[in-house]
Amino acid sequence: MSTAKTSWPEVVGWPAAQAVTQVNTDRPDVAIEVLPSGTSVSPGFSSKRVRVFFDRTGSVEATPTVG
């Protein structure tokens, strides 16, 4: 069973760049996609991807998760 972190609720409201740094520190093995909220993304789960969605102010809008 993996103990690797899979979500980052603590970064909601942070500047996106700061959130990316935190995710990368915790999980350097995943690719991080930084996207404006509302962006259409392809469906499907990837254990090697974290998407960070930000609002018009550049702040993280939703909890980034692996997938």
Side-chain angles (χ1 to χ4, degrees), residues 24-61:
N24 193 48
T25 297
D26 293 337
R27 290 291 305 271
D29 60 311
V30 299
I32 303 168
E33 297 178 6
V34 183
L35 304 161
S37 291
T39 300
S40 294
V41 294
S42 57
F45 179 86
S46 171
S47 63
K48 295 296 181 184
R49 175 183 62 215
V50 173
R51 290 178 172 146
V52 176
F53 290 96
F54 62 91
D55 63 19
R56 58 180 170 67
T57 69
S59 297
V60 177
E61 188 167 84

Side-chain angles (χ1 to χ4, degrees), residues 7-32:
S7 68
W8 290 262
E10 69 275 15
V11 306
V12 173
W14 290 14
Q18 187 178 352
V20 167
T21 299
Q22 184 63 53
V23 173
N24 193 48
T25 297
D26 293 337
R27 290 291 305 271
D29 60 311
V30 299
I32 303 168

